[in-house]
Amino acid sequence: MRVFKFAPQVKLPPATRSSMNNAASTNRPSTEPIGQNHRADDFRSRDLRELCAGELPLSARLEPWMIDQIAGPSAHSLVNQYGSPLNLTFTSVMARNIDEINRVAQQRHLDFRVFFARKSNKCLALVDQAIQSGIGIDTASENEIRQCLTRDANPADLICTAAIKTDSLIRLCIDQGICIAVDNHDELAAIAELCQESSKTATVALRIGGFQHQGQKLFTRFGFDIDRDASIVNQLGSLPLSVQGIHFHLDGYDAGQRVTAIAESLRWINRLRESGHRPSFIDMGGGFPVSYLDDPTQWEAFLEQHANALLGRREPITYQNHGLGRHVADGKLLGESNCYPSYQSSTRSDWLAEVLDSKIGDQMVAACLQSNHLQLRCEPGRSLLDGCGMTVARVEFRKQNSEGDWLIGLSMNRTQCRTTHEEFLVDPILIGQDHHKEASISGYLVGAYCTESELISLRRFHFPNGIQRGDLIAFPNTAGYLMHFLESRSHQFPLASNLVIDQSGATSLDPIDQSTD
Ligand SMILES: *Cc1c(COP(=O)(O)O)cnc(C)c1O
């Protein structure tokens, strides 16, 4: 077996070199994000990011705990012990994100409740953190619910928004008194029938969709259609259901669309009340925006230069000039980027404030909800996990393809750092294994699936000090969706291990890796 020297290949300013491993725990709580006040960390992260950067750089926002992992001695030994890739999670950043969102609602004296959208990451440490922080959990499957109950979640703090609801799932919700977000007529009939069977009453929220926003109907596959299904309210009275609220979840990150949907939900609440129901909440779902980058100019430059490359005005910056959703026909750039917008100016709590301070008629949204005696619920996933995770993989080879492009082979596959988007547009970070400085190299990261399309990242990266077998590549900020949403065991590769790091830096395997579901 190969013996690694655990000396990080990083250049650090003298002031931070000695405190490298414990800077986060001594100077300040390591749940604070990197900002202009933390100049030492600023230096550290800039140097760390120099060893691997995109042709058009997209420098990742880093949390202090990530920098400690990258600059410290443990990453290589952890990957040796647990395999590649390895998912790292740090849950106290989630607690910080929850506090940040709650504060915005508190400032407006709003009755407000956050539910963590669990499908964004499978780790049970995050469920534990949600419970510890006193928030609810939005579940998308029977196993997700059962696992939450095993972690001692209160059933009243769960909501089930599963896209497909089997009898067995519905029975579990009815037995436990878990609120079901009802999506369609068949589901409603099944819930009613199973209630009658067990002589129980189901707790439900009506999921609605198809909102009219700025003259256009917002497309969705989910929920009762606000136009076509408006009469559903009249059919509910005879059913063994307690209708507790109105639910929606929209694609995208447009605050204005949420305001439109809340206004429509208020009309449904009124109709429910007129029919004798006693709904108490509107659930606005998730979609709180996240920024993966600090620098908006990097994002703008990337989009612009990528467009130029597609139009043949410059060298490609993606593998075989991949369009990431856009393409060129008749000399024109068509289509839209199918990537998460890595930089967004309004995120998490600012974005929520924008929604709450918008007007419905002449009343602010927050005041409108209060005067209607309604609780506002939300189900953020990605934005609660912002800053909570990092994925680390080992470099196994460098080679050239038939066209001479350099390929860097990683011990991981593309399902282990990917969502339904085309690409995760953030520069990874190189964690070298020694001080050996090689010739600079540029190339693409490829993975273990045996297909030509198996790229871990479609962007070309520069490695000014080279890269070699045994080095590590870290993908920052992967906890929201990137780790687990698409992960597969194709080729019989084992799934990645999930390691939880606590505030003291101690590590333990997440309990999900011991469960058999
Ligand atoms: C996926 C999902 C969420 C979470 O969305 P984010 O973009 O991660 O905040 C919330 N609610 C429902 C119903 C969902 O399907």
Side-chain angles (χ1 to χ4, degrees):
M1 213 181 119
R2 187 155 178 175
V3 179
F4 291 102
K5 281 175 276 165
F6 301 128
Q9 179 190 357
V10 289
K11 298 169 285 172
L12 296 173
T16 59
R17 198 186 292 269
S18 60
S19 60
M20 189 170 74
N21 295 332
N22 57 7
S25 49
T26 54
N27 296 350
R28 74 212 126 62
S30 50
T31 55
E32 273 181 51
I34 301 294
Q36 280 155 356
N37 301 336
H38 305 309
R39 293 198 44 218
D41 272 338
D42 231 27
F43 276 124
R44 292 207 299 164
S45 58
R46 201 178 313 141
D47 281 348
L48 295 170
R49 294 187 291 212
E50 268 173 13
L51 301 174
C52 169
E55 174 108 17
L56 270 295
L58 296 173
S59 310
R61 282 183 44 240
L62 299 176
E63 294 285 338
W65 75 266
M66 295 178 189
I67 295 174
D68 290 341
Q69 287 300 316
I70 295 163
S74 58
H76 279 100
S77 56
L78 291 176
V79 170
N80 283 346
Q81 187 178 351
Y82 293 101
S84 170
L86 176 63
N87 293 322
L88 303 175
T89 47
F90 189 82
T91 59
S92 48
V93 173
M94 180 185 182
R96 184 190 79 202
N97 294 339
I98 293 167
D99 287 346
E100 187 192 307
I101 292 179
N102 274 333
R103 212 170 308 128
V104 169
Q106 271 160 17
Q107 284 161 354
R108 289 156 183 80
H109 308 291
L110 188 65
D111 183 1
F112 182 70
R113 195 135 170 73
V114 178
F115 289 70
F116 165 50
R118 213 206 130 181
K119 72 167 193 281
S120 55
N121 189 298
K122 71 182 181 185
C123 286
L124 294 170
L126 300 165
V127 169
D128 293 346
Q129 183 62 60
I131 295 170
Q132 201 189 319
S133 291
I135 64 168
I137 301 164
D138 163 30
T139 55
S141 74
E142 188 172 341
N143 277 344
E144 281 194 4
I145 295 177
R146 290 193 188 281
Q147 290 165 3
C148 288
L149 295 174
T150 307
R151 305 309 289 179
D152 280 339
N154 181 346
D157 291 335
L158 302 182
I159 182 163
C160 171
T161 60
I164 301 287
K165 302 188 185 78
T166 60
D167 280 4
S168 161
L169 168 63
I170 294 170
R171 265 196 207 101
L172 175 65
C173 291
I174 295 171
D175 284 347
Q176 296 283 335
I178 294 167
C179 184
I180 308 170
V182 190
D183 177 83
N184 60 65
H185 290 93
D186 278 351
E187 217 170 86
L188 188 65
I191 294 167
E193 198 180 307
L194 292 168
C195 279
Q196 269 142 14
E197 238 175 50
S198 60
S199 309
K200 287 188 169 150
T201 304
T203 303
V204 303
L206 292 184
R207 181 162 184 173
I208 59 174
F211 300 102
Q212 300 284 352
H213 181 72
Q214 296 180 342
Q216 282 191 338
K217 193 169 172 72
L218 301 180
F219 170 82
T220 180
R221 67 170 264 211
F222 290 107
F224 292 100
D225 185 79
I226 58 152
D227 299 313
R228 202 176 47 239
D229 297 320
S231 66
I232 188 91
V233 170
N234 309 323
Q235 300 158 27
L236 295 170
S238 54
L239 302 176
L241 306 173
S242 164
V243 186
Q244 300 205 330
I246 292 293
H247 177 275
F248 64 85
H249 169 73
L250 303 179
D251 230 19
Y253 340 97
D254 188 310
Q257 291 183 3
R258 269 62 183 190
V259 177
T260 295
I262 290 172
E264 179 65 27
S265 298
L266 280 166
R267 286 192 277 278
W268 281 66
I269 291 279
N270 286 336
R271 265 192 261 141
L272 281 168
R273 285 179 172 164
E274 281 160 19
S275 312
H277 299 277
R278 304 178 69 185
S280 60
F281 69 80
I282 290 175
D283 186 334
M284 63 181 284
F288 292 44
V290 169
S291 236
Y292 290 90
L293 312 174
D294 279 322
D295 183 356
T297 60
Q298 280 190 341
W299 180 237
E300 285 150 21
F302 172 80
L303 292 177
E304 191 185 323
Q305 292 304 316
H306 183 229
N308 284 341
L310 297 180
L311 291 163
R313 294 177 189 155
R314 60 158 292 153
E315 288 277 288
I317 61 172
T318 51
Y319 197 62
Q320 301 195 319
N321 216 5
H322 197 290
L324 305 176
R326 299 189 287 182
H327 66 279
V328 171
D330 297 332
K332 287 210 183 79
L333 194 60
L334 301 174
E336 285 196 28
S337 161
N338 174 26
C339 297
Y340 190 86
S342 291
Y343 181 85
Q344 303 197 67
S345 54
S346 168
T347 61
R348 204 166 32 244
S349 54
D350 295 340
W351 181 87
L352 177 63
E354 232 173 87
V355 172
L356 295 180
D357 297 343
S358 296
K359 294 227 165 135
I360 297 178
D362 52 11
Q363 220 180 5
M364 301 242 241
V365 168
C368 221
L369 291 162
Q370 279 152 357
S371 60
N372 281 283
H373 306 288
L374 287 168
Q375 180 178 70
L376 180 65
R377 296 185 176 185
C378 62
E379 299 162 345
R382 188 187 291 270
S383 65
L384 291 193
L385 299 188
D386 181 20
C388 296
M390 184 163 76
T391 299
V392 186
R394 194 192 298 114
V395 175
E396 304 292 357
F397 67 67
R398 301 159 300 184
K399 67 169 284 190
Q400 286 175 287
N401 69 8
S402 58
E403 284 182 0
D405 293 324
W406 279 99
L407 306 179
I408 317 297
L410 300 183
S411 261
M412 72 182 284
N413 66 70
R414 68 208 301 263
T415 72
Q416 294 174 311
C417 187
R418 188 167 251 87
T419 67
T420 52
H421 290 124
E422 206 78 62
E423 174 83 335
F424 178 42
L425 290 171
V426 172
D427 291 355
I429 289 170
L430 173 61
I431 310 176
Q433 56 188 318
D434 54 36
H435 293 287
H436 189 71
K437 188 172 184 303
E438 304 223 345
S440 97
I441 179 177
S442 295
Y444 299 92
L445 303 178
V446 297
Y449 284 173
C450 302
T451 66
E452 292 288 357
S453 60
E454 170 70 354
L455 273 89
I456 301 297
S457 176
L458 291 158
R459 290 170 59 224
R460 187 160 79 232
F461 296 114
H462 289 306
F463 304 93
N465 287 3
I467 185 167
Q468 53 185 318
R469 183 172 160 96
D471 286 349
L472 300 179
I473 286 282
F475 299 89
N477 214 350
T478 52
Y481 295 102
L482 288 148
M483 291 176 177
H484 304 137
F485 200 72
L486 293 184
E487 74 170 344
S488 111
R489 293 208 50 176
S490 180
H491 303 37
Q492 295 308 300
F493 291 122
L495 296 179
S497 293
N498 297 281
L499 212 58
V500 183
I501 304 173
D502 72 17
Q503 294 241 33
S504 71
T507 54
S508 57
L509 261 191
D510 188 273
I512 197 75
D513 288 341
Q514 286 130 42
S515 96
T516 52
D517 287 333

